[in-house]
Amino acid sequence: MKKITLAESSQLLDPEFIFGVATAAFQIEGGADSRLPTIWDTFCAQPGRIKDGSDGLVACDHIHRWQQDIELIASLGVDAYRFSVSWARVLHADGSVNHQGMNFYLQLLDALQARNIKAFVTLYHWDLPEHIQQQGGWLNRQTAWLFQDYADKVSRAFGDKVYSYATLNEPFCSAYLGYEAGIHAPGVQNRRQGRQVAHHLLLAHGLAMQVLQRNCPSAQNGIVVNLSPCYPASDSEADQRAVAMADAYHNHWYLQPLLQGRYPDLLAELPETDQPDTEPGDLALIAQPLDYLGINYYTRTVFEATKAGWFRDVKPTAPPLTDMGWEIYPEGLTEILCGLQQHYAMPPVYITENGAAMVDNLQDGRVQDAERVAYFQQHLLAVEKAMEQGVQVAGYFAWSLMDNFEWAEGYVKRFGIVYVDYPTQQRVIKDSGLALQQLFRYKQQRTAR
Ligand code: FCB
């Protein structure tokens, strides 16, 4: 079996560096009968939306198997576990606390604490309660205040059991994939709506940061964004311009409001009918000081110019590609981290997700996913490189603890370091999980010395 190795001098082996694994509520929990419906339940029920026609009703049945899953997480030797809270599980439709749902997470938090595993809690990983969608969802400005109230109730209940909160996971996906590309819930294709949703999500983040800093001042509070470095398809002037626009539209649209309190100049170039409504003071609210920025990194993106003077992405065809068809491009991670350092006054960074879908086969109780081992090895070295250049990276989370519901791709794409045999719900640590386990345990032993 291939190993993952780091030099003895690697900063990733420093005692303070945090290694973890990540999941999200809708992707693993199941237990749909003990929570309210969400926009993803609605989306899954629409024919043709999910590639394999599946849904999140049972998923990995984590809601019933969480104790076993915590043992599994502990056995990996991680310092931390990143998971998300289901809004639809912890609050009733009238906004009051659902104690049964809240207790589920409280038990989980206690079990983590008992094993000395830090809890990284994401408040919103895309599963908006459907009844809020019925009131306009993220298109309705008021949803930002509903989110603030939800953040308040959760953070009061969890108290100091949480090491770190993230308000949102990847607002780009909720806004762009959900409202412009139409491939995520709720499946809308409308640019103006996409930009409006992005604005309300950012506003919700700012409002939630205020209550998190008040309720849990000693927790690390921040947000998680997905970033993909943008490359031009050619060195033509048109493609160069297209790439700058794509970078502003997909990456800096979130970073600049968060870190500088303003939108990219590209906003003013959009037709007025596509520009989001904003109110005075919104950007100041959005730009709350962050204790950290979470970055999810998977691949780079190549763009070309369209005749209309806009941009479109060019799908990679040359290997190495993952099972998602995403190019394996570890240099992009170093580049993103170093680029941020140059352009922004940056808080410390966590790599909150990084991983790869591969075609996995369970054979004789083993999954030999050497390509995934190589992916982790290369990306850990890419983080190390950025740290050598002065970027403050405080931790790294593998996506994902286990195979799970991969959104529009259903259960066919497997990102886990643990294999899930869905018919039996059996979990089997893949070779990549074993390789990471070896690394994580080694780091723990070194720290204990
Ligand atoms: C990210 C999501 C996560 C998972 C990975 C593959 O965009 O945050 O839930 O689906 O992609």
Side-chain angles (χ1 to χ4, degrees):
M1 193 193 81
K2 260 196 167 170
K3 284 190 182 174
I4 297 174
T5 46
L6 297 172
E8 276 304 303
S9 58
S10 172
Q11 296 180 64
L12 274 68
L13 293 175
D14 285 352
E16 316 73 64
F17 193 86
I18 292 175
F19 278 124
V21 288
T23 63
F26 192 85
Q27 295 179 277
I28 65 162
E29 282 182 2
D33 52 352
S34 51
R35 58 159 172 79
L36 297 172
T38 72
I39 55 173
W40 271 92
D41 296 300
T42 311
F43 194 64
C44 291
Q46 296 167 2
R49 293 297 201 180
I50 311 299
K51 293 238 172 84
D52 60 0
S54 64
D55 55 47
L57 300 180
V58 176
C60 304
D61 195 32
H62 172 70
I63 207 79
H64 299 115
R65 295 167 196 267
W66 65 272
Q67 281 157 309
Q68 168 200 333
D69 289 338
I70 295 281
E71 291 309 331
L72 181 65
I73 294 166
S75 79
L76 292 171
V78 295
D79 307 301
Y81 173 46
R82 173 176 180 247
F83 64 96
S84 81
V85 173
S86 164
W87 189 343
R89 190 177 289 291
V90 298
L91 296 192
H92 293 297
D94 66 1
S96 64
V97 172
N98 176 336
H99 292 285
Q100 195 197 337
M102 202 64 97
N103 281 339
F104 168 71
Y105 296 107
L106 286 170
Q107 283 182 319
L108 192 79
L109 288 168
D110 286 341
L112 289 172
Q113 209 164 38
R115 287 161 186 78
N116 221 351
I117 298 171
K118 295 179 168 66
F120 278 64
V121 170
T122 303
L123 291 171
Y124 185 72
H125 203 124
W126 311 351
D127 44 357
L128 189 73
E130 177 61 36
H131 68 92
I132 300 178
Q133 184 68 18
Q134 295 303 318
Q135 308 298 315
W138 290 113
L139 276 173
N140 182 345
R141 196 175 154 87
Q142 285 312 310
T143 299
W145 277 268
L146 291 182
F147 182 71
Q148 183 184 43
D149 178 62
Y150 158 63
D152 185 42
K153 289 184 169 126
V154 171
S155 54
R156 278 174 199 269
F158 290 1
D160 60 6
K161 297 181 198 287
V162 173
Y163 182 82
S164 162
Y165 283 101
T167 54
L168 308 175
N169 177 70
E170 303 187 353
F172 161 89
C173 292
S174 306
Y176 182 80
L177 298 183
Y179 280 87
E180 293 191 49
I183 57 176
H184 277 190
V188 176
Q189 284 181 297
N190 180 304
R191 181 189 291 168
R192 203 202 98 79
Q193 290 194 10
R195 296 296 109 178
Q196 191 64 61
V197 162
H199 184 68
H200 289 157
L201 282 161
L202 288 168
L203 196 59
H205 154 80
L207 290 165
M209 277 302 287
Q210 291 184 323
V211 307
L212 292 176
Q213 298 295 35
R214 190 187 64 216
N215 294 348
C216 306
S218 54
Q220 295 285 305
N221 300 317
I223 183 171
V224 170
V225 295
N226 56 307
L227 298 175
S228 182
C230 302
Y231 288 73
S234 78
D235 45 21
S236 76
E237 214 173 284
D239 283 354
Q240 303 282 347
R241 233 193 16 248
V243 124
M245 283 197 297
D247 196 23
Y249 200 73
H250 290 325
N251 294 325
H252 298 284
W253 204 273
Y254 303 92
L255 292 168
Q256 245 178 292
L258 290 168
L259 298 168
Q260 297 179 334
R262 65 188 195 91
Y263 276 111
D265 296 340
L266 181 65
L267 185 140
E269 291 172 39
L270 295 183
E272 231 167 89
T273 47
D274 284 347
Q275 296 183 14
D277 292 334
T278 61
E279 290 189 11
D282 282 2
L283 281 151
L285 246 176
I286 292 169
Q288 299 293 315
L290 299 171
D291 295 332
Y292 76 94
L293 181 72
I295 294 174
N296 295 350
Y297 177 80
Y298 289 92
T299 187
R300 69 164 175 167
T301 318
V302 176
F303 290 95
E304 66 183 5
T306 65
K307 289 220 174 77
W310 196 240
F311 56 83
R312 87 175 137 238
D313 56 322
V314 184
K315 298 264 170 276
T317 49
L321 304 178
T322 70
D323 194 32
M324 295 291 277
W326 297 349
E327 183 184 356
I328 299 176
Y329 195 76
E331 306 90 303
L333 181 51
T334 313
E335 191 180 312
I336 279 281
L337 290 169
C338 294
L340 286 174
Q341 184 87 343
Q342 274 169 19
H343 288 104
Y344 294 101
M346 284 291 290
V349 163
Y350 286 98
I351 306 303
T352 32
E353 285 179 30
N354 178 236
M358 297 290 176
V359 182
D360 293 322
N361 289 303
L362 178 62
Q363 253 168 4
D364 303 326
R366 193 165 161 204
V367 179
Q368 302 194 35
D369 57 340
E371 280 178 287
R372 191 179 283 107
V373 178
Y375 183 98
F376 284 125
Q377 171 76 70
Q378 291 164 349
H379 287 78
L380 286 167
L381 291 178
V383 173
E384 187 180 276
K385 238 189 211 166
M387 290 177 81
E388 281 164 9
Q389 291 174 53
V391 182
Q392 260 193 74
V393 184
Y396 173 97
F397 292 75
W399 182 270
S400 176
L401 163 66
M402 57 185 159
D403 297 335
N404 57 48
F405 176 75
E406 179 45 38
W407 309 110
E409 303 291 329
Y411 293 94
V412 181
K413 303 293 180 206
R414 294 179 175 269
F415 273 93
I417 60 167
V418 173
Y419 186 91
V420 177
D421 178 51
Y422 293 107
T424 61
Q425 289 291 353
Q426 199 200 346
R427 280 80 159 126
V428 179
I429 304 184
K430 301 178 191 177
D431 279 5
S432 59
L434 296 172
L436 286 172
Q437 180 182 52
Q438 218 166 50
L439 172 72
F440 297 165
R441 284 188 175 168
Y442 175 69
K443 200 207 104 190
Q444 286 194 334
Q445 282 160 9
R446 229 173 81 125
T447 304
R449 255 185 254 143

